[in-house]
């Protein structure tokens, strides 16, 4: 199709990469957010391009895990009672879609995106001059419990050949040699050799945004709530005036439903909130670690060792309840010396989730020239470039690189 004007709402990893791909195809693109690129959800993740994450997180079905979550026995899951009535329908559908009869097809569609994560990030990292932020040394899962290690190894042996992934098992002694900062002996580890890690996730998004600008894209500040449909397209009010375009892409992550509900869309979007904090003053791990039995990630970053939590089911803007991070910190202190927190208060963000564990990527069902690209849950940082490419191909009317139907917004009516 002929080049058009496009507004991309949301300057996280997904929105920035969408704007980059559209600009690369010759479109006149404005990337708009109320904050700078990479300053919201994309800032606060573990910084791992998780090509090994070829299966989304299913809702637990084992009674022991459900009871553990219900009684908040660990630090991996928390919830607010006040939020449960609003998200009960979505969580029920999430549980339903995690059933053995449904989950494999979902995982297959999800894995098609993850399989291309490194291949799509690599040229952008190079073009953005961001190699100084990236380590290509893999991602290490560590285990306290031999039974959970054995189960994870069985899963790894199944998925690795299907997706061309490399992995290796480490004995307790091998793990101790590989991670000299560990203060206790663990059951072992799985080294995923293909993932890349980033020591400043927000900065990588900012570099991608600078690349977008260098290629002729425009970045604007403004409130997406001002979006209006006109006779020939869409308009939105930026801080420096009105912007008009033929197409608009909604890439607002956990804020997408706030914009779309007045337009008549009732997508079952819910959030899993997460927290992180940095610590300095001692040696950290040699690479990003998943403490698989406690549900936290320990990642070396520019600002120190970053501890990130599991999922908190709560209203997106409810006050923080950082006891979950306190539990994650306590678990991390069992493994490492973490003497000094950097931030006075933990950072909090929200991951946009859908009950079938797949993002929505494609045309809005009831509005011409409106496009959706959000709902990536834990993996927006990983899947931003490949999702942006897929959306740009659809905007252009090209044959997409994969069948986009599994990600279609129309699946929710």
């Amino acid at each position: 199709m002929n080049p058009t004007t496009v507004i991309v709402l949301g300057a996280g990893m997904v929105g920035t990469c969408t704007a980059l791909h559209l600009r690369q195809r010759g479109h006149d693109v404005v990337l708009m957010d109320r904050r700078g690129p990479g300053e919201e959800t994309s800032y606060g993740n573990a910084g791992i391009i998780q090509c090994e994450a070829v299966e989304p997180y299913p809702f637990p079905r084992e009674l022991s895990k459900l009871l553990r979550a219900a009684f908040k026995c660990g630090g991996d899951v928390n919830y607010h009672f006040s939020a449960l009535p609003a998200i009960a329908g979505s969580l029920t559908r999430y549980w339903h879609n995690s059933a053995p009869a449904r989950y494999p097809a979902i995982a297959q569609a999800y894995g098609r995106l993850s399989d291309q994560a490194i291949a799509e990030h690599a040229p952008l990292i190079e073009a953005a001059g961001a190699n100084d932020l990236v380590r290509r040394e893999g991602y290490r899962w560590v285990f306290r419990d031999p039974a959970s290690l054995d189960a994870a190894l069985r899963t790894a042996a199944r998925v690795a050949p299907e997706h061309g992934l490399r992995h290796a098992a480490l004995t307790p002694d091998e793990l101790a040699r590989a991670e000299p900062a560990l203060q206790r002996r663990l059951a072992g580890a799985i080294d995923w050799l293909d993932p890349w890690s980033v020591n400043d996730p927000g900065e990588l998004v900012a570099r991608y945004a600078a690349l977008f600008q260098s290629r002729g894209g425009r970045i604007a500040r403004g409130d997406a709530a001002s979006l209006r449909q006109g006779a020939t397209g869409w308009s939105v009010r930026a801080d420096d005036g009105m912007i008009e375009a033929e197409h608009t892409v909604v890439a607002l992550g956990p804020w997408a439903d706030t914009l779309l509900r007045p337009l008549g869309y009732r997508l079952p979007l819910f959030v899993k909130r997460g927290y992180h904090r940095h610590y300095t003053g001692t040696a950290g791990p040699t690479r990003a670690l998943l403490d698989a039995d406690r549900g936290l990630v320990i990642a070396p970053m520019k600002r120190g060792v970053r501890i990130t939590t599991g999922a908190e089911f709560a209203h997106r803007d409810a006050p923080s309840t950082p006891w979950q991070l306190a539990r994650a910190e306590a678990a991390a202190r069992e493994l490492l010396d973490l003497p000094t927190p950097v931030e006075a208060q933990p950072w909090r963000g929200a991951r946009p989730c859908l009950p079938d564990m797949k993002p929505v990527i494609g045309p809005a069902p009831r509005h011409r020239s409106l496009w959706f690209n959000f709902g990536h849950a834990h993996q927006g940082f990983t899947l931003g470039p490949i999702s942006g490419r897929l959306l740009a191909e659809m905007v252009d009317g090209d044959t997409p690189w994969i069948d986009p139907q599994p990600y279609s917004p129309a699946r929710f009516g």
Side-chain angles (χ1 to χ4, degrees):
M1 66 181 293
N2 293 326
T4 61
T5 53
V6 187
I7 300 166
V8 178
L9 299 175
M13 179 62 84
V14 173
T16 299
C17 291
T18 301
L20 252 174
H21 276 284
L22 287 165
R23 181 61 198 145
Q24 188 171 291
R25 288 167 165 265
H27 297 284
D28 181 10
V29 185
V30 178
L31 176 63
M32 197 181 92
D33 203 316
R34 62 185 179 181
R35 300 185 66 182
E39 293 184 4
E40 292 278 8
T41 303
S42 294
Y43 165 77
N45 57 76
I48 307 164
I49 302 172
Q50 282 191 256
C51 58
E52 98 294 345
V54 293
E55 296 183 338
Y57 295 106
F59 199 102
R61 304 185 73 80
E62 302 91 337
L63 181 60
S64 60
K65 291 184 178 181
L66 291 171
L67 290 174
R68 177 182 170 85
F71 289 100
K72 303 184 181 182
C73 295
D76 50 345
V77 177
N78 185 34
Y79 59 89
H80 292 185
F81 281 105
S82 61
L84 295 182
I87 64 174
S90 293
L91 292 183
T92 299
R93 293 169 71 175
Y94 182 15
W95 178 85
H96 181 74
N97 285 318
S98 299
R102 299 174 184 85
Y103 180 76
I106 291 171
Q108 185 179 50
Y110 187 93
R112 292 193 190 102
L113 298 174
S114 298
D115 285 346
Q116 301 298 318
I118 296 293
E120 291 296 325
H121 269 282
L124 298 184
I125 289 169
E126 189 68 33
N131 282 302
D132 60 302
L133 304 177
V134 181
R135 298 177 65 180
R136 297 164 174 82
E137 299 173 349
Y139 179 31
R140 181 167 286 147
W141 296 3
V142 300
F143 295 83
R144 301 166 186 244
D145 179 8
S148 61
L149 171 60
D150 289 343
L153 283 169
R154 289 193 295 271
T155 299
R158 174 178 57 82
V159 302
E162 295 176 9
H163 297 274
L165 296 167
R166 300 172 299 151
H167 74 287
L170 298 186
T171 67
D173 289 341
E174 289 170 335
L175 175 58
R177 288 193 294 270
E179 293 291 354
L182 288 177
Q183 299 182 137
R184 61 177 289 181
R185 186 177 177 83
L186 299 177
I190 299 175
D191 270 4
W192 291 99
L193 304 175
D194 299 297
W196 294 356
S197 59
V198 176
N199 63 22
D200 190 335
E203 176 62 19
L204 182 62
V205 179
R207 300 269 186 102
Y208 285 178
L211 175 63
F212 165 71
Q213 286 183 296
S214 73
R215 292 178 172 177
R218 175 185 166 195
I219 294 177
R221 295 283 186 103
D223 186 354
S226 64
L227 182 70
R228 297 292 183 270
Q229 186 177 28
T232 59
W234 298 86
S235 65
V236 67
R237 184 175 297 281
D239 290 352
D240 57 357
M242 191 68 70
I243 300 170
E244 296 183 349
E246 296 169 61
H247 297 264
T248 290
V249 179
V250 178
L252 290 168
W255 297 275
D257 62 339
T258 302
L259 176 70
L260 295 175
R261 279 184 175 271
L263 296 177
Y265 294 96
R266 296 293 184 268
L267 298 177
L269 190 74
F270 64 99
V271 301
K272 296 179 185 177
R273 303 202 312 180
Y275 300 82
H276 86 231
R277 205 174 197 180
H278 295 95
Y279 303 82
T280 60
T282 190
T286 63
R287 66 183 66 177
L289 304 180
L290 168 68
D291 184 347
D293 294 316
R294 295 292 187 271
L296 63 132
V297 175
I298 306 169
M301 296 275 179
K302 273 186 176 180
R303 300 193 67 192
V305 176
R306 179 180 288 188
I307 307 299
T308 68
T309 69
E312 180 180 70
F313 295 92
H315 292 301
R316 185 191 63 206
D317 300 321
S320 296
T321 48
W323 74 266
Q324 190 179 26
L325 182 65
R327 289 198 176 188
E329 179 184 311
R333 288 187 185 279
E334 295 172 0
L335 304 182
L336 299 165
D337 182 21
L338 299 173
T340 308
V342 173
E343 298 90 352
Q345 296 296 326
W347 179 92
R348 188 195 79 219
R351 310 172 181 109
C353 304
L354 289 155
D356 65 357
M357 294 161 274
K358 297 175 295 185
V360 287
I361 308 171
R366 294 187 296 279
H367 289 80
R368 183 176 177 274
S369 301
L370 182 65
W371 304 83
F372 297 168
N373 198 356
F374 57 84
H376 294 74
H378 298 258
Q379 299 300 340
F381 188 77
T382 294
L383 300 179
I386 193 59
S387 298
R389 172 186 164 185
L390 182 59
L391 195 283
E393 289 170 345
M394 286 190 277
V395 170
D396 272 358
D398 292 348
T399 300
W401 66 278
I402 60 167
D403 179 9
Q405 191 60 36
Y407 323 105
S408 171
R411 71 187 192 269
F412 294 115

